[in-house]
């Protein structure tokens, strides 16, 4: 049988339709239409995502809204989305069409049935789309006007699933529910912790707000910066209560450098979970009876072992460990300055981690397991070919650490380049990270 008579496979048919639709879409400029007509056009589509994107233009604003708000939604959800988007169009809201807010609007549509006020009664008081979003969330869900500012900020910062479902938490608190009774909390809360959690600064994630509350409850807020920079600030862990006692241990010691808190926590983690040298892991390890001088000496000794390991692999660091590589995070590297003298590059092997730690005298090589599991990526900033700064980026595209030689904070020059890279790569930057820049 001739090839022209063979039936097309479903995949080939989809590709053919996409080409036809793409050609037709080039003759249709929906960008010139009024917002309400664009909403109607967007909500008229069904079918596979590639075909719809061919209609709307791959990477276009409408395609982004379709992917987040309408794709794989039930009929009732699609109709609800149409209602909300049309209402925003009639309000001439700046929320349409901002691709960076499409995920937040999708979450808003999902919890829209739990609103306490009607969208028709909302009046935007600013042309800033982020302020409009905050105002809209307050209007729809904040019945008593006491939503914590960090919850509202999570909507505008697109951090709706950062350790907790912010949309569900918003509706729960908006109806007057207590934080400690929210059924999806990853940790139990006391009344005291809830009180301090509500007072956390606006730009904090849930994890940062929780650490703020835990330290405030212990009268240790002076240690918030070092704690946020340590492994406590990266993710919730069953060991958090233990490490909070490490904070008390540091606070009770006179004249101790707060920047040593993070390295000591890394040493303790290695000792409790992995083991150091020929010693097996010690899950029951405790600081009881230990002095601060002894703990710092053990931490420094472990660090020196990591540095020497590059040139002296032995039974504690088998050769296969040095050959370890992992899949890099989908975060672009950066080149800037005259003749590209500034570079930010992701490290992809254990050798590179050891070299980075040896050059800057810190313990970044201890991140081998986290890199292999895809929890984070380690980046090195070089100026004129010299390593000056190490950065940790979580899988959710948040920069959570920036450390130079001997764990120093970043300089003003490094701050400029890191913020420029973060803007280009669309990375989130917590406020505390650059608090001590310079």
């Amino acid at each position: 049988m001739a090839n022209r008579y063979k039936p097309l496979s479903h995949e080939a048919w989809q590709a053919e339709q996409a080409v036809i639709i793409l050609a037709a879409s080039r003759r249709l400029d929906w960008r010139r239409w009024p917002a309400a007509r664009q909403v109607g056009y967007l909500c008229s589509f069904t079918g596979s995502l590639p075909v719809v994107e061919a209609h709307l233009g791959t990477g276009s604003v409408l395609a982004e809204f379709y992917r987040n708000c309408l794709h794989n939604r039930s009929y009732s959800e699609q109709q609800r989305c149409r209602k909300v988007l049309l209402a925003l169009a009639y309000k001439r809201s700046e929320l349409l069409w901002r691709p960076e807010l499409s995920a937040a609007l999708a979450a808003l549509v999902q919890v829209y049935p739990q609103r306490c006020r009607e969208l028709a009664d909302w009046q935007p008081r600013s042309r800033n789309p982020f302020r409009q979003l905050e105002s809209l969330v307050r209007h729809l869900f904040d019945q008593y006007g006491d939503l914590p500012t960090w919850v509202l900020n999570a909507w505008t910062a697109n951090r709706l699933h950062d350790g907790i479902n912010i949309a569900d938490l918003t509706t729960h608190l908006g109806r007057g529910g207590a934080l400690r009774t929210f059924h999806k909390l990853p940790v139990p809360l006391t009344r005291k912790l809830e009180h301090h959690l509500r007072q956390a600064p606006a730009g904090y994630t849930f994890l940062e707000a929780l650490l703020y509350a835990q330290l405030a409850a212990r009268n240790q807020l002076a240690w918030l910066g070092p704690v946020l920079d340590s492994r406590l600030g990266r993710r919730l862990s069953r060991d958090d209560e233990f490490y909070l006692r490490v904070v008390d241990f540091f606070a009770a010691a006179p004249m101790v450098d707060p920047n040593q808190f993070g390295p000591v926590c890394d040493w303790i983690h290695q000792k409790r979970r992995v083991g150091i040298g020929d010693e097996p892991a010690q899950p029951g390890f405790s600081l009881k009876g230990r002095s601060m001088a002894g703990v710092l000496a053990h931490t420094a000794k472990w660090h020196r072992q990591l540095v020497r390991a590059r040139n002296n692999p032995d039974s504690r660091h088998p050769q296969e460990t040095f050959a370890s590589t992992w899949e890099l995070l989908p975060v672009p590297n950066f080149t800037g300055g005259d003749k590209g003298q500034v570079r930010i590059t992701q490290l992809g092997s254990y050798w590179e981690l050891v070299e980075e730690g040896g050059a800057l005298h810190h313990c970044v090589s201890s991140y081998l397991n986290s890199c292999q599991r895809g929890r984070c990526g380690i980046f090195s900033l070089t100026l004129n070919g010299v390593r000056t700064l190490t950065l940790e980026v979580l899988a959710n595209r948040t920069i959570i650490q920036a450390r130079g030689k001997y764990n120093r904070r970043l300089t003003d020059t490094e701050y400029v380049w890191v913020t420029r890279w973060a803007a280009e790569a669309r990375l989130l930057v917590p406020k505390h990270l650059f608090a001590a820049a310079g």
Side-chain angles (χ1 to χ4, degrees):
M1 180 185 295
N3 286 339
R4 65 178 178 275
Y5 296 120
K6 288 183 178 179
L8 288 174
S9 67
H10 181 67
E11 292 77 9
W13 177 84
Q14 275 193 322
E16 186 179 85
Q17 291 299 305
V19 172
I20 296 172
I21 292 167
L22 181 59
S25 67
R26 289 171 178 167
R27 300 190 296 270
L28 186 66
D29 191 2
W30 49 262
R31 296 169 181 81
R32 297 180 179 272
W33 295 349
R37 186 180 175 188
Q38 290 186 37
V39 171
Y41 181 61
L42 173 67
C43 296
S44 68
F45 289 103
T46 57
S48 66
L49 189 59
V51 172
V52 174
E53 287 185 333
H55 261 295
L56 299 174
T58 303
S60 69
V61 174
L62 284 191
E64 187 70 18
F65 268 76
Y66 180 86
R67 182 184 301 106
N68 284 307
C69 300
L70 296 168
H71 183 55
N72 285 337
R73 305 291 186 184
S74 66
Y75 177 78
S76 61
E77 290 174 328
Q78 291 180 350
Q79 291 305 304
R80 189 191 312 149
C81 181
R82 177 189 178 93
K83 177 181 178 181
V84 171
L85 294 181
L86 278 176
L88 292 175
Y90 292 137
K91 294 286 185 180
R92 299 180 181 274
S93 171
E94 299 296 327
L95 296 175
L96 300 178
W97 302 94
R98 296 298 293 261
E100 64 270 30
L101 297 179
S102 59
L105 284 180
L108 186 147
V109 169
Q110 291 299 302
V111 295
Y112 187 70
Q114 302 175 52
R115 65 193 181 279
C116 60
R117 302 182 186 91
E118 294 302 321
L119 198 156
D121 299 328
W122 173 68
Q123 292 296 332
R125 301 181 182 277
S126 169
R127 293 188 62 85
N128 184 301
F130 299 96
R131 292 180 180 173
Q132 284 191 8
L133 177 60
E134 181 178 325
S135 168
L136 180 59
V137 170
R138 276 198 183 277
H139 173 81
L140 292 178
F141 307 115
D142 191 6
Q143 186 171 358
Y144 302 102
D146 61 352
L147 272 178
T149 52
W150 61 266
V151 173
L152 291 168
N153 187 262
W155 285 86
T156 58
N158 198 23
R159 293 195 303 258
L160 296 174
H161 298 280
D162 195 7
I164 195 170
N165 189 313
I166 292 294
D168 287 346
L169 179 63
T170 300
T171 58
H172 173 80
L173 297 178
R175 293 192 300 267
L179 247 171
R180 64 185 181 279
T181 63
F182 183 59
H183 67 286
K184 297 180 181 179
L185 279 177
V187 292
L189 293 179
T190 63
R191 290 178 182 270
K192 187 175 184 179
L193 277 178
E194 177 179 359
H195 169 74
H196 291 299
L197 190 57
R198 285 181 174 272
Q199 308 303 316
Y204 279 18
T205 64
F206 169 72
L207 175 56
E208 291 166 350
L210 178 61
L211 288 171
Y212 174 94
Q214 290 171 329
L215 292 176
R218 305 170 90 94
N219 294 318
Q220 302 289 10
L221 273 180
W223 288 85
L224 182 60
V227 168
L228 290 177
D229 283 341
S230 72
R231 62 176 48 253
L232 269 76
R234 297 169 203 158
R235 61 189 65 86
L236 287 171
S237 166
R238 61 182 179 177
D239 287 339
D240 282 0
E241 183 59 35
F242 173 85
Y243 286 109
L244 288 172
R245 292 196 294 272
V246 178
V247 176
D248 297 334
F249 179 77
F250 265 78
M255 293 299 292
V256 60
D257 183 0
N259 290 329
Q260 292 297 323
F261 179 78
V264 166
C265 286
D266 290 338
W267 169 71
I268 293 174
H269 171 79
Q270 186 80 5
K271 199 168 186 67
R272 284 167 60 91
R273 298 297 173 198
V274 182
I276 295 178
D278 297 326
E279 297 178 359
Q282 301 178 31
F285 173 81
S286 170
L287 290 175
K288 186 177 181 180
R290 294 179 180 270
S291 68
M292 177 58 71
V295 169
L296 293 178
H298 283 297
T299 302
K301 180 181 178 181
W302 174 59
H303 173 260
R304 290 193 297 270
Q305 290 174 350
L306 292 176
V307 172
R308 290 197 302 265
R310 178 175 55 139
N311 298 319
N312 299 285
D314 53 27
S315 59
R316 293 171 297 177
H317 301 278
Q319 191 63 38
E320 54 267 25
T321 300
F322 285 88
S324 298
T325 59
W326 49 84
E327 184 177 350
L328 301 180
L329 294 185
V331 176
N333 294 331
F334 174 84
T335 302
D338 295 336
K339 299 181 180 180
Q341 80 268 26
V342 181
R343 294 181 181 274
I344 301 178
T345 308
Q346 187 169 182
L347 307 182
S349 72
Y350 184 62
W351 274 108
E352 292 176 321
L353 291 183
V354 172
E355 290 176 344
E356 182 79 1
L360 298 184
H361 297 275
H362 52 46
C363 301
V364 72
S365 57
S366 64
Y367 285 80
L368 171 63
N369 185 260
S370 294
C371 290
Q372 288 178 323
R373 295 189 179 187
R375 294 174 177 170
C376 69
I378 302 297
F379 291 77
S380 176
L381 185 150
T382 60
L383 293 174
N384 296 315
V386 178
R387 300 175 190 261
T388 63
L389 194 71
T390 306
L391 302 115
E392 179 187 359
V393 179
L394 291 185
N396 65 2
R397 304 181 73 84
T398 303
I399 305 175
I400 63 167
Q401 282 205 90
R403 289 295 181 178
K405 200 168 187 178
Y406 296 109
N407 283 298
R408 66 163 174 78
R409 302 302 294 264
L410 73 175
T411 65
D412 288 338
T413 300
E414 293 164 348
Y415 167 80
V416 171
W417 292 114
V418 171
T419 52
R420 184 176 300 182
W421 170 56
E424 291 185 6
R426 297 188 177 183
L427 302 175
L428 297 175
V429 183
K431 290 184 177 180
H432 76 85
L433 184 69
F434 296 146

